[in-house]
Amino acid sequence: MTLLNTTLKWLLQRRIPRIEAMMQQPGVAQQQAFRQLIRAGRRPEWGEKHHYKSIQTIQDFQRQVPVSSYEDLFPYIERVLKGENKVLWPSPVRWFSKSSGTTNARSKFIPVTMESLDESHFKGGKDMMAMYIANNPGSRAFEGKGLSIGGSLHPNPYSSNSAVGDVSAVVMKNLPSWAQYIRTPSLSVALMDEWESKLERMAEVTATENVTSMLGVPTWGMVLIDKVLARTGKSNILEVWPNFEVMMHGAVNFQPYRELFQQQVFPSNQIRYQEIYNASEGFFAIQDDLSRVGEMLLMLDYGIFYEFVPIHEADQPFPKALTIEQVELDKNYALIVSTNGGLWRYKVGDTVRFTSLYPHRLKVSGRTKHFINAFGEEVIVENAETAITKACEATGAVISDYTAGPVYMGNGSNGCHEWVIEFTHEPTNQQTFEQILDETLRQINSDYDAKRYNDMVLKRPRIHVVPPGTFYAWMKQRGKLGGQHKVPRLANSREYLDDILGQVLEL
């Protein structure tokens, strides 16, 4: 075992006792983060406007500061983009994470300060590896390279003093030299602008590297691996990377892809999978126990103060917001964050559900705007993922991508849900797949079940199977290629369905 591998493992493991203390005393960790944020927030214009100097308690904060969407904060963010200082945060902002968001086409520019890089993104990356090593003490991950699939950077069109890009690119650009040494590909390749050319170059470079880990969105990871296999002529990627150990994944629910990765992409029961929850706004959660699939430990000492709003109050400016010590198990909450990047009571757009308390582990259950509720059925992404997984398990199917939306009632016909699905392996029986999908949704969602009763409101789902590559071509057509862009899973309109089905008909 190399000296570098041994040294890095020893250094990372020094963090574990502090993580354990945070797990035992989550309220203490959050109180400390809250006090630090309020002290820093007194100096910028935002803090003066909302009288941060008079804030002594969390209750004061919740009374004086409204919950804000991106649109609410944009007038302030726009001024920061144009080079103004001390608007939302006291220190200068040199980076902006450009996020498409999945609910509209307009880009979002999230400020990334040095504090958020150091105390959140970098700390999260190190803790991710520390927890992986705690689960696997014999790891040799640092004897090879970590493959990172990230985005690109561009000059800020509004100011010459800063740059914009995917958060992955911002993080990679600012990594310390030791971290650059153990990752691949080089920055010149990793930050290439044109996505398809970058993937080809990444495949060329990594095909000859000793890759031991991968970090990225599963869907784009599969695209890259397919290109490596095509280049090398190998039947599976472990023939190219025989020392591969672990895939760290995030951004999309991994469950529909798990079987594909375990059986075909990395056909070995020795490969491990670790989920993370990182976003433009910060690094939020890490899977600390690899046996608890889909559950992640909320990281409470990254300079982020968390609030949790019951779904039915999510659109209120001053909702009843709960702290970490007030949340309950198995309830869906809209996630609200105040960060060391200058976001204050900001609606991330995700919904989360706690699966354990002390320690506080959660699952991302969906998006606040990604659901189907055209008939009062309130189907969320987590429902869809569970149903898809059950249907795949029963029919031997493997999903590549999907989206779903409503078919509205009209002309004497009841409504239904319409699904567009791209399979890597089609189900042995499509009718069985549809039946189990429908039955599972009825079992886990009482509102959906009520609307499906005797087909009174909703009929059985309508499923379209589309050819391989359909979703890739659709995303390319929309200018949405890249690791930060994700296929929208559910929509309460037919916007995505009609667009995709129209493209299929044109082929």
Side-chain angles (χ1 to χ4, degrees):
M1 189 173 291
T2 65
L3 178 61
L4 177 62
N5 189 69
T6 303
T7 302
L8 287 177
K9 285 169 61 176
W10 177 78
L11 288 170
L12 289 168
Q13 288 300 282
R14 296 172 63 188
R15 166 73 173 151
I16 295 299
R18 297 180 185 176
I19 294 175
E20 291 172 344
M22 177 204 74
M23 294 164 72
Q24 294 166 6
Q25 296 183 301
V28 172
Q30 279 290 271
Q31 281 285 351
Q32 183 176 356
F34 173 74
R35 290 193 296 269
Q36 291 173 343
L37 286 168
I38 296 303
R39 280 198 298 269
R42 289 170 182 166
R43 287 174 280 167
E45 179 184 316
W46 176 272
E48 292 180 359
K49 176 181 177 180
H50 294 285
H51 310 291
Y52 274 35
K53 288 183 178 179
S54 68
I55 293 175
Q56 300 297 320
T57 67
I58 293 170
Q59 290 73 28
D60 294 339
F61 181 59
Q62 292 175 335
R63 279 194 298 268
Q64 294 176 209
V65 182
V67 169
S68 296
S69 65
Y70 179 80
E71 288 72 22
D72 295 330
L73 284 181
F74 182 71
Y76 298 89
I77 293 174
E78 184 177 35
R79 291 167 54 196
V80 182
L81 271 168
K82 293 179 178 179
E84 283 192 54
N85 290 323
K86 297 183 179 180
V87 178
L88 290 166
W89 189 252
S91 63
V93 179
R94 297 288 177 255
W95 305 94
F96 292 85
S97 174
K98 184 179 180 182
S99 170
S100 67
T102 51
T103 57
N104 61 50
R106 184 173 59 186
S107 294
K108 298 179 181 179
F109 296 90
I110 303 297
V112 181
T113 64
M114 284 310 302
E115 290 90 342
S116 62
L117 275 174
D118 289 338
E119 298 168 23
S120 180
H121 293 289
F122 292 165
K123 195 173 181 180
K126 288 184 285 188
D127 283 353
M128 172 186 72
M129 291 307 302
M131 292 182 196
Y132 170 67
I133 292 164
N135 281 268
N136 301 279
S139 171
R140 294 174 176 261
F142 298 121
E143 293 185 4
K145 298 284 188 177
L147 194 164
S148 303
I149 303 174
S152 57
L153 289 172
H154 306 277
N156 179 356
Y158 305 102
S159 172
S160 60
N161 294 327
S162 58
V164 301
D166 307 334
V167 69
S168 56
V170 174
V171 170
M172 279 193 280
K173 178 69 174 178
N174 288 281
L175 284 173
S177 56
W178 67 267
Q180 299 287 7
Y181 178 76
I182 60 175
R183 58 165 302 280
T184 189
S186 66
L187 283 182
S188 62
V189 174
L191 300 182
M192 285 176 63
D193 186 23
E194 207 282 312
W195 186 249
E196 291 185 291
S197 298
K198 176 163 69 175
L199 282 175
E200 292 290 348
R201 183 72 178 115
M202 287 181 72
E204 179 184 357
V205 171
T206 60
T208 60
E209 293 272 23
N210 177 26
V211 175
T212 54
S213 64
M214 177 187 286
L215 172 64
V217 180
T219 46
W220 295 112
M222 287 193 295
V223 173
L224 174 60
I225 286 170
D226 284 344
K227 291 185 180 297
V228 173
L229 293 178
R231 179 174 293 274
T232 60
K234 302 296 184 182
S235 60
N236 73 73
I237 199 64
L238 294 182
E239 295 178 8
V240 183
W241 303 328
N243 299 315
F244 191 89
E245 285 190 23
V246 59
M247 178 171 180
M248 286 86 171
H249 57 88
V252 299
N253 189 327
F254 189 61
Q255 197 59 29
Y257 304 100
R258 186 173 297 277
E259 185 175 352
L260 174 64
F261 273 83
Q262 291 177 335
Q263 294 188 8
Q264 296 183 44
V265 180
F266 298 115
S268 167
N269 58 13
Q270 300 302 308
I271 305 302
R272 297 172 177 88
Y273 301 89
Q274 183 178 27
E275 187 167 1
I276 59 173
Y277 180 17
N278 64 329
S280 297
E281 297 84 0
F283 205 122
F284 299 148
I286 304 168
Q287 186 178 358
D288 64 308
D289 183 344
L290 301 192
S291 68
R292 302 175 71 102
V293 175
E295 299 182 35
M296 294 169 284
L297 178 69
L298 186 63
M299 306 307 293
L300 303 169
D301 60 351
Y302 285 6
I304 299 170
F305 178 67
Y306 294 97
E307 297 174 84
F308 307 90
V309 173
I311 292 298
H312 64 275
E313 293 198 30
D315 292 328
Q316 301 299 317
F318 289 93
K320 179 184 178 182
L322 307 179
T323 65
I324 192 64
E325 294 180 296
Q326 297 171 316
V327 295
E328 300 178 40
L329 290 174
D330 297 321
K331 292 189 176 182
N332 282 304
Y333 298 106
L335 183 63
I336 309 296
V337 298
S338 298
T339 77
N340 45 15
L343 301 177
W344 299 103
R345 305 201 76 196
Y346 177 83
K347 294 191 284 190
V348 174
D350 292 334
T351 60
V352 299
R353 177 174 58 84
F354 284 93
T355 58
S356 77
L357 304 178
Y358 300 94
H360 285 72
R361 296 189 180 97
L362 54 73
K363 289 186 175 184
V364 179
S365 54
R367 298 280 296 175
T368 55
K369 295 184 179 179
H370 273 213
F371 54 84
I372 308 177
N373 194 34
F375 310 95
E377 67 274 44
E378 297 187 14
V379 172
I380 62 174
V381 172
E382 186 180 33
N383 298 155
E385 301 284 9
T386 299
I388 281 279
T389 300
K390 290 283 189 183
C392 284
E393 289 173 350
T395 62
V398 179
I399 290 283
S400 174
D401 260 314
Y402 76 90
T403 192
V407 175
Y408 298 110
M409 304 170 74
N411 298 322
S413 176
N414 292 348
C416 70
H417 288 179
E418 190 165 17
W419 297 67
V420 177
I421 302 178
E422 182 181 323
F423 290 100
T424 301
H425 286 299
E426 293 193 14
T428 52
N429 186 303
Q430 184 171 329
Q431 187 175 0
T432 302
F433 182 94
E434 294 176 4
Q435 179 181 343
I436 293 174
L437 176 73
D438 182 46
E439 289 176 351
T440 304
L441 283 172
R442 296 188 71 167
Q443 290 166 7
I444 62 179
N445 185 318
S446 59
D447 292 314
Y448 178 84
D449 183 52
K451 305 304 182 296
R452 283 283 294 115
Y453 179 72
N454 285 341
D455 292 348
M456 291 180 65
V457 176
L458 289 175
K459 297 180 295 186
R460 280 183 60 167
R462 180 188 302 171
I463 294 180
H464 301 274
V465 178
V466 295
T470 295
F471 278 91
Y472 184 92
W474 179 64
M475 294 291 278
K476 180 179 179 180
Q477 183 185 59
R478 299 171 68 225
K480 299 293 184 182
L481 292 183
Q484 82 279 20
H485 298 296
K486 302 175 285 294
V487 172
R489 297 307 192 198
L490 302 179
N492 207 35
S493 70
R494 295 190 54 82
E495 173 188 359
Y496 306 124
L497 285 175
D498 289 341
D499 203 19
I500 296 169
L501 291 173
Q503 175 179 286
V504 172
L505 290 173
E506 291 174 3
L507 296 177

